[in-house]
């Protein structure tokens, strides 16, 4: 399953760091962030709990960019 989330991030470099952190999260098959549109697209592993996985994604992204926002 794929979902799109609105985000707030200040620079393209920060978005790149967040994208890498999200992609490494357990339950995420792939993640891409568009700095220009301020959107994150996440593809989940089959059978993953989307809500729990997104909580982990937010936590991992906050570790690399603490002032980012991901609107779940």
């Amino acid at each position: 399953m794929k979902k799109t989330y609105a985000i707030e991030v200040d620079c393209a470099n920060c978005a790149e760091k967040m994208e890498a952190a999200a992609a490494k999260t357990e339950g995420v098959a792939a993640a891409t962030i568009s700095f220009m549109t301020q959107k994150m697209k996440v593809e989940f592993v089959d059978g993953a709990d989307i809500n729990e996985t997104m909580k982990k994604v937010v936590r991992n992204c906050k570790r690399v960019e603490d002032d980012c926002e991901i609107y779940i």
Side-chain angles (χ1 to χ4, degrees):
M1 172 182 257
K2 294 180 184 179
K3 292 193 94 172
T4 302
Y5 299 92
I7 63 169
E8 280 185 31
V9 62
D10 296 332
C11 70
N13 188 43
C14 300
E16 186 177 335
K17 290 179 187 177
M18 287 174 57
E19 181 177 284
K24 292 178 185 176
T25 304
E26 181 181 347
V28 174
T32 57
I33 292 181
S34 171
F35 173 69
M36 295 300 289
T37 62
Q38 296 285 295
K39 295 205 184 289
M40 170 188 277
K41 292 182 182 180
V42 181
E43 182 177 349
F44 298 94
V45 173
D46 288 339
D49 182 329
I50 293 172
N51 293 328
E52 288 302 313
T53 301
M54 280 309 296
K55 287 178 186 177
K56 292 176 187 176
V57 167
V58 170
R59 187 173 46 236
N60 289 343
C61 287
K62 291 273 187 186
R63 285 183 183 152
V64 296
E65 189 53 42
D66 62 348
D67 66 345
C68 72
E69 290 295 331
I70 301 172
Y71 300 101
I72 299 175

